[in-house]
Amino acid sequence: MTEPHEVAVVPGDGVGREVVPAAQQVLEAVADGRNTLEFEFTDGEAGDAVKERTGTALPQGTRELVTGADATLFGATGETSVEVVIPLRRAIDAYANVRPARAYPGVDALQPETDLVFVRENTEGVYAGHEAELAPGVTTLTRVITAEASERIARFGFEYAAEHDYDVTVAHKANVMRETDGLFLESVERVAGEMGTECETALMDALATRLVRDPAEFGVVICPNLAGDVLSDLAAGLVGGLGLLASANVGPERALFEPVHGSAPDIAGEGIANPTAAILSGAHLLEYLGHEEAGVSVREAVAETLAEGPRTPDLGGEAGTEAVTTAIVERL
Ligand code: NAI
Ligand code: MG
């Protein structure tokens, strides 16, 4: 008997409740076929709906579930996102946000050569939570950059790049934010020196233009928090939409996996959400837990399904979430 992996499942709101069960179904199918892999899934509530009912978007029980689990599969929350996702990432010290953006054969992409991975600093920058209203009509935000967090994300990014055979580009705006991004850049370059590795540095605004025109030029892009959030959504547009982009929030001991997209209230409840992003998040979860081969088999089943169909309407198809999920499970 193998020890089961304890996985917290937090679907959240909107399409999170449709795509997370799809991803869980895929993980269950993968485990069914392998006697070295077993899961124990436990559900937790979070988001707009639970806040409406109980007054809190992130119940203590859910927080404890996530901090106690080996890994978490998260969906999306709606308006309460800042009350849920950011505290959960913080609770497991998930300092690295990994967001691959890859084009797939069969999916209409603006840039079919795209194959890059954003490694985003996930704990500070302008998302550190230091905002204030000084007076009516006057607000401020404090941007936090520390050497420690910058070095930590750099190390993660360079190791990830070496493991997956990517070049590294570092996004920054140190010409304007001289103190904060100056420190970020200096820290990343110091780590590169220590690790004996090369990296290109690029101003993040110019980088945005280059990403659109020639994404194939890039591999791993190490970014400060806000830049990583914006640039990865930009890259989603290059490869065929948010329904495809998975992400991992990795801490020293635990990790939380989630689609990049939100609760998509415009299509929620219709059964047409693309489950790909959530299922690929599940593949990442498998790899994180040491089941590399199982993760790859999910990625292959997803790629085949994207190439041959069925596809959801966001990709020009007519199939629903369930039909796509079933097709992926059948190809496993
Ligand atoms: P969104 O990602 O929910 O939707 C943007 C567009 O992408 C919509 O047209 C939507 O239909 C489409 N889309 C998203 N996921 C899809 C999928 N799986 N299949 C097919 N189409 C998909 O972003 P939006 O509209 O800006 O935000 C909606 C809500 O989600 C807001 O309340 C926001 O706060 C929340 N949000 C939550 C996040 C999280 O929980 N991590 C992240 C981003 C937004
Ligand atoms: Mg975002």
Side-chain angles (χ1 to χ4, degrees), residues 180-199:
T180 52
D181 264 4
L183 179 60
F184 179 74
L185 187 58
E186 183 189 306
S187 306
V188 176
E189 286 183 320
R190 181 164 53 244
V191 171
E194 280 167 17
M195 293 177 70
T197 183
E198 300 277 312
C199 68

Side-chain angles (χ1 to χ4, degrees), residues 76-79 81 85 242-243 258 260-267 273-274 314:
T77 43
E79 295 311 315
S81 275
V85 185
L242 279 169
E258 55 171 334
V260 170
H261 65 73
S263 61
D266 52 336
I267 58 163
N274 188 345
D314 56 308

Side-chain angles (χ1 to χ4, degrees), residues 89 94-102 116-122 153 156-157 160-161 164 166 220-221 228 232 245-251 255-260 280-281 284 287-288 299:
R89 290 173 183 160
Y95 65 93
N97 187 200
V98 183
R99 293 182 164 192
R102 179 172 306 145
L116 44 88
V117 181
F118 294 91
V119 172
R120 163 192 177 200
E121 202 294 317
N122 215 15
I153 195 65
F156 184 98
Y160 185 97
H164 296 85
Y166 284 117
V220 163
V221 184
S232 56
L245 260 70
S247 77
N249 298 275
V250 184
L256 178 148
F257 301 84
E258 55 171 334
V260 170
L280 288 174
S281 301
H284 207 145
E287 289 154 2
Y288 172 80
R299 292 182 191 284

Side-chain angles (χ1 to χ4, degrees), residues 12 14 23 72 75-76 216 238 259 273 278 292 312:
T72 297
L238 298 179
E292 192 76 25
T312 43

Side-chain angles (χ1 to χ4, degrees), residues 116 118 168-173 200-215 217-224 227-228 231-232 234 238:
L116 44 88
F118 294 91
V168 176
T169 304
V170 183
H172 69 93
K173 191 76 185 169
E200 180 207 12
T201 65
L203 292 171
M204 60 176 78
D205 42 1
L207 177 64
T209 309
R210 286 170 60 201
L211 276 171
V212 171
R213 294 177 71 105
D214 190 12
E217 214 191 308
F218 301 97
V220 163
V221 184
I222 299 178
C223 305
L231 293 174
S232 56
L234 176 142
L238 298 179

